[in-house]
Amino acid sequence: QITLRESGPTLVKPTQTLTLTCTFSGFSLSTYGVGVGWIRQPPGKALEWLALIYWNDDKRYSPSLKSRLTITKDTSKNHVVLTMTNMDPMDTATYYCTHTDESSMVPPDYWGQGTLVTVSS
Amino acid sequence: QSVMTQPPSASGTPGQRVTISCSGSDSNIGNNYVYWYQQLPGTAPKLLIHRNNQRPSGVPDRFSGSKSGTSASLAISGLRSEDEADYYCASWDDTLGGPDVVFGGGTKLTVL
């Protein structure tokens, strides 16, 4: 059974750096083709894809946010970490951790429950 | 503004059949699989349809997906009150310099 759980601060100040951790179980991020990514959803708005890291450490980023995002993995701990610099109130959203199966170039199949991050001074 | 276009709202009465459309382009729907998600209020999106028309285990066969060219549709038959939710389409996108995964803007389904 695949599960993913996001953790991190619920409140960050403008200009600060956000660090979110995804802890997963039920699969290995060393399996060929598998990826773990992040998607966010501002309150009342649509979903926005942010980043994805593959089993082979290939990293993909949303072009509009690439300069602010870093995604890393720790396969031994079943963790994926996303950092986003220079946070702004417009970054207030629920952030979801996701799993992509061995097909690789497809949208995610499993989602974490999400964590709401509010950016405010 | 979302890369793929969905109607913002849809509605139906219990027992009815409702369809939700998703319009994209060659770089996404035209050359890649379409996925559909259901998002109940206050919860994370849940996969309803993958690879255009495949249902994951546990998803009722009342839900079906189809794709033609650069458009896709989600059909819900025998509409039930618990189907009231937001529905999103998604696809991989091959645009150079674009995001890898793109979504529709979402359709809010109301069961009257």
Side-chain angles (χ1 to χ4, degrees), chain A residues 41 54 60 63 103 108 111-112, chain B residues 35 37 39 44 51 88 92 97 100:
Chain A
Q41 184 176 36
Y54 284 111
R60 315 293 296 256
S103 305
W111 299 59
Chain B
Y35 282 43
Y37 303 96
Q39 187 174 32
R51 303 187 183 213
Y88 291 91
W92 190 267
D100 284 354

Side-chain angles (χ1 to χ4, degrees), chain B residues 13-101:
Chain B
T13 56
Q16 222 175 11
R17 183 176 187 270
V18 171
T19 61
I20 297 172
S21 62
C22 177
S23 177
S25 65
D26 287 337
S27 65
N28 40 68
I29 294 177
N31 285 320
N32 295 288
Y33 289 123
V34 178
Y35 282 43
W36 288 93
Y37 303 96
Q38 177 192 60
Q39 187 174 32
L40 297 169
T43 69
K46 168 194 163 187
L47 182 64
L48 268 188
I49 297 289
H50 64 105
R51 303 187 183 213
N52 304 333
N53 55 20
Q54 302 300 303
R55 281 186 310 277
S57 174
V59 173
D61 60 6
R62 302 185 297 107
F63 295 91
S64 62
S66 64
K67 169 184 149 177
S68 177
T70 59
S71 295
S73 291
L74 173 71
I76 309 172
S77 60
L79 198 62
R80 304 174 69 161
S81 58
E82 57 260 40
D83 297 333
E84 190 160 286
D86 293 327
Y87 293 84
Y88 291 91
C89 59
S91 182
W92 190 267
D93 194 293
D94 299 324
T95 302
L96 192 63
D100 284 354
V101 177

